[in-house]
Amino acid sequence: MSSTSNTAAPTGAAAKKDPKAAVVVDKKETEEEEFEEFPIQEWAERADGEDDDVNVWEDNWDDETHESEFSKQLKEELRKGGHPIA
Amino acid sequence: MSFLRSVGDYFNEIENLNYGQNWKNGEKMSKLLSLEDEHSKHSFLQVNDYGEKNRRCRVAEDEALDEIVCLHLHVLYNVHEAKDLITAQSTQIRIIQVFNKEILQKRRDENWFLPIFYRLCTDLRWLSKEAQSCASGDDEGDSNADSYFESAAKAITECYRTCVSDVHAEEGRTKKVAMLNMTNQLFQIYFQINKLNLLKPLIRAIDNCGPLYSKFLMADKVAYNYFLGRKALFDGELSLAEKSLMYAFRNCPAECMSNKKKILIYLIPVKMFLGHMPTASLLHEYRLDEFQEVVAAVKDGDVGRVDAALTKNEPFFIKCGIFLVLEKLRTITSRTLFKKVSQIIGTTQIPLEAFLTGLRLVGVTDVNMDELECIIANLIAEKKIKGYLAHQQQKLVISKTNAFPTLSSVTSS
């Protein structure tokens, strides 16, 4: 851990406190990547379908109602390629 | 704990909590044995070998707890004063071993001390990580790179065995309720050292734990489903991944935003493979805008744009550990591209050459005719295209109706 190298800092109360603070900060940082502990341990369980965030997943993104820019390019490219276009 | 002014205060506090032996006191005591709690910053508690001192405070009538408390002060000394994380880690292992031998194995019909045990294990994981980064900074060879995590896993597994074999205690007092928390502890360690296969028996034990499951804490259930879902995603078990991650996302309290975000990072790819695309507002709400371009490109069937979007946010996706998983989105993106080509051509017999034209337009130049047939054959096998390849004619013959079923209607996992 890089913070341990700070122990060579000049003596004195203030200088001595710094590396300690660094250790605490390090601990916070490593935990950021991890699943954090919950502040409480117990709460009511929700059943399937009791979601807060409904309508956050789209299923019908596939039925193209408007032609995207990319679709237009594709059509043009296929036409240039000599394919019969419907 | 600002009210602590001396080692004596600290021991008194522990002793008071030890009189009323209930879960609530166990939770309070867990803080007093935690490395994160305020008390750990008091230099009078950071004492080298406190247990060896002639005149010292003691936890009356509880030698096991007394030993654990002394070892805890020794850990605090090594973390804060000596800055010797390696000794701190091995001392924490000693604490877990004493806890197992003197408390878990000896105190029958009691489980109020489990919150303390959970905290000791969580701190051991942190110390193992720190010890490892110390050691890997010191020497060259990394043959023992994972040894700190491995020794931690070994100590926790020994306790796991003690707890699961506690079958005679009455309900409400059995140590078996620790199973899920310990499985989560081991899950996190095995993620670190890439040994997820070792979790198989533990997962099976949870699957078969029966009514005990309802006794587990929600905090542990949500975490477990998050870990299980991540593992399932990497194993390609999409429906298990969806079920587990949806459970975790639904049951994670809204105020725990950062955990909800972590769940989404794995839930989003799973949902996309199953044909459910996250809305732009969801991505924005959880500060996951790195996904926006990827999602848009997948929906548009633009394989080249998917590649570019992945490359652009590569460091983020690698940090999350999902870069390789996301690369598989090319398959469903190709399916959407082929769907578009088929619609433009407008017949049921599409020359394969037309698909190649589509791929070249999006900058995919490394796919030849054989590889294209292979991609299409896989999509047909996965029921994402209804049709067959006419190899001689170099055509794809598609069904007259619903040749490209919506992805969400195709169950493929």
Side-chain angles (χ1 to χ4, degrees):
Chain A
M1 201 173 53
S2 57
S3 62
T4 46
S5 58
N6 292 345
T7 42
T11 48
K16 223 180 160 188
K17 271 196 173 168
D18 275 339
K20 289 187 195 176
V23 170
V24 176
V25 169
D26 273 0
K27 175 159 180 157
K28 283 239 168 76
E29 269 173 20
T30 49
E31 286 195 343
E32 249 173 45
E33 296 162 29
E34 283 187 25
F35 207 61
E36 280 168 30
E37 262 179 87
F38 289 107
I40 47 166
Q41 299 294 300
E42 199 52 343
W43 56 89
E45 186 168 28
R46 290 180 181 200
D48 228 350
E50 289 182 77
D51 303 67
D52 268 340
D53 311 273
V54 283
N55 304 328
V56 296
W57 309 106
E58 277 181 83
D59 289 346
N60 56 354
W61 52 274
D62 213 8
D63 353 317
E64 207 173 345
T65 42
H66 77 282
E67 205 175 29
S68 72
E69 196 49 44
F70 172 62
S71 296
K72 282 180 201 156
Q73 278 178 32
L74 187 61
K75 190 182 260 178
E76 193 48 42
E77 205 62 23
L78 287 167
R79 197 195 314 273
K80 273 196 270 173
H83 294 286
I85 305 293
Chain B
M1 302 257 163
S2 49
F3 59 88
L4 295 178
R5 288 199 193 85
S6 65
V7 191
D9 284 354
Y10 173 75
F11 272 80
N12 277 338
E13 190 63 23
I14 297 252
E15 207 166 300
N16 286 338
L17 291 170
N18 200 32
Y19 280 126
Q21 304 200 329
N22 56 49
W23 194 277
K24 267 264 154 315
N25 279 14
E27 282 177 344
K28 285 183 189 157
M29 211 192 286
S30 76
K31 294 202 172 74
L32 287 168
L33 288 165
S34 148
L35 299 179
E36 261 182 272
D37 186 71
E38 282 295 302
H39 80 274
S40 66
K41 292 178 188 154
H42 291 305
S43 53
F44 58 77
L45 292 176
Q46 300 159 0
V47 197
N48 189 19
D49 278 332
Y50 187 77
E52 302 301 313
K53 299 220 177 297
N54 282 330
R55 298 186 54 184
R56 64 167 177 93
C57 305
R58 285 175 193 277
V59 181
E61 291 169 38
D62 193 335
E63 272 182 45
L65 185 58
D66 185 61
E67 186 178 355
I68 288 166
V69 170
C70 291
L71 288 170
H72 173 64
L73 300 188
H74 189 59
V75 173
L76 293 184
Y77 166 79
N78 277 293
V79 171
H80 296 279
E81 258 323 297
K83 315 232 175 278
D84 178 354
L85 274 306
I86 290 170
T87 304
Q89 194 261 1
S90 61
T91 308
Q92 190 77 7
I93 288 202
R94 180 82 198 112
I95 294 179
I96 302 268
Q97 286 166 339
V98 172
F99 204 99
N100 185 28
K101 190 159 167 265
E102 302 298 331
I103 297 179
L104 295 177
Q105 289 179 0
K106 287 195 179 153
R107 303 202 181 163
R108 300 190 181 271
D109 277 316
E110 283 182 65
N111 69 5
W112 65 273
F113 38 69
L114 289 176
I116 305 170
F117 179 61
Y118 299 163
R119 166 52 55 193
L120 295 172
C121 292
T122 302
D123 284 346
L124 173 59
R125 281 192 292 110
W126 176 71
L127 286 170
S128 303
K129 197 172 198 171
E130 295 300 308
Q132 186 181 326
S133 45
C134 279
S136 53
D138 287 349
D139 58 70
E140 301 287 292
D142 56 340
S143 56
N144 281 335
D146 297 332
S147 66
Y148 298 101
F149 283 118
E150 277 172 2
S151 60
K154 183 165 173 268
I156 295 174
T157 303
E158 280 163 12
C159 300
Y160 176 90
R161 291 205 187 99
T162 307
C163 292
V164 289
S165 58
D166 185 26
V167 289
H168 299 298
E170 57 182 277
E171 200 191 286
R173 288 191 188 166
T174 173
K175 294 171 198 69
K176 282 185 87 172
V177 289
M179 265 173 87
L180 193 62
N181 184 283
M182 298 176 78
T183 300
N184 287 341
Q185 303 278 1
L186 291 168
F187 235 125
Q188 289 170 89
I189 294 176
Y190 290 142
F191 264 121
Q192 295 278 350
I193 57 176
N194 249 322
K195 291 202 169 157
L196 287 179
N197 56 323
L198 295 177
L199 285 158
K200 264 194 188 155
L202 303 184
I203 293 170
R204 203 175 313 127
I206 299 295
D207 284 343
N208 297 329
C209 77
L212 183 68
Y213 192 83
S214 65
K215 305 280 179 230
F216 295 144
L217 298 169
M218 278 307 288
D220 289 333
K221 288 197 221 177
V222 169
Y224 177 69
N225 277 281
Y226 165 72
F227 298 131
L228 190 65
R230 271 175 68 178
K231 180 177 184 301
L233 170 60
F234 296 127
D235 292 343
E237 298 178 54
L238 289 183
S239 61
L240 176 62
E242 186 189 30
K243 185 174 151 250
S244 311
L245 292 167
M246 278 300 278
Y247 176 92
F249 189 63
R250 178 167 66 240
N251 281 291
C252 181
E255 58 271 26
C256 301
M257 187 78 171
S258 100
N259 278 349
K260 288 203 100 168
K261 178 175 174 173
K262 282 172 192 142
I263 298 165
L264 272 181
I265 285 172
Y266 302 94
L267 182 56
I268 288 168
V270 171
K271 282 286 193 184
M272 288 177 77
F273 286 124
L274 296 172
H276 314 282
M277 300 296 157
T279 58
S281 61
L282 176 77
L283 296 177
H284 193 65
E285 185 188 346
Y286 285 93
R287 307 271 177 284
L288 287 168
D289 290 299
E290 291 89 346
F291 281 99
Q292 300 279 21
E293 178 70 5
V294 180
V295 174
V298 169
K299 279 157 77 171
D300 213 10
D302 190 337
V303 189
R305 195 171 152 207
V306 171
D307 288 345
L310 290 180
T311 307
K312 190 176 161 220
N313 293 297
E314 191 172 333
F316 171 77
F317 293 131
I318 286 180
K319 198 179 120 229
C320 299
I322 53 168
F323 186 76
L324 294 177
V325 165
L326 291 178
E327 282 198 317
K328 296 188 191 153
L329 288 170
R330 293 176 108 231
T331 312
I332 57 169
T333 313
S334 307
R335 166 262 177 210
T336 303
L337 174 66
F338 298 162
K339 179 183 174 181
K340 285 190 170 178
V341 169
S342 304
Q343 283 172 340
I344 293 168
I345 303 285
T347 67
T348 55
Q349 297 190 15
I350 322 289
L352 295 179
E353 196 53 48
F355 297 124
L356 274 189
T357 304
L359 285 171
R360 293 211 187 93
L361 170 67
V362 296
V364 178
T365 49
D366 56 349
V367 172
N368 62 28
M369 196 52 93
D370 287 343
E371 283 162 331
L372 174 70
E373 284 190 67
C374 186
I375 295 170
I376 292 177
N378 279 325
L379 287 169
I380 293 171
E382 290 168 12
K383 301 191 167 57
K384 292 187 175 104
I385 299 179
K386 287 204 271 181
Y388 62 90
L389 279 166
H391 178 71
Q392 292 288 324
Q393 289 80 19
Q394 291 286 288
K395 279 182 176 169
L396 170 68
V397 182
I398 53 172
S399 160
K400 286 193 179 69
T401 55
N402 202 19
F404 293 86
T406 52
L407 281 176
S408 53
S409 69
V410 185
T411 47
S412 66
S413 59

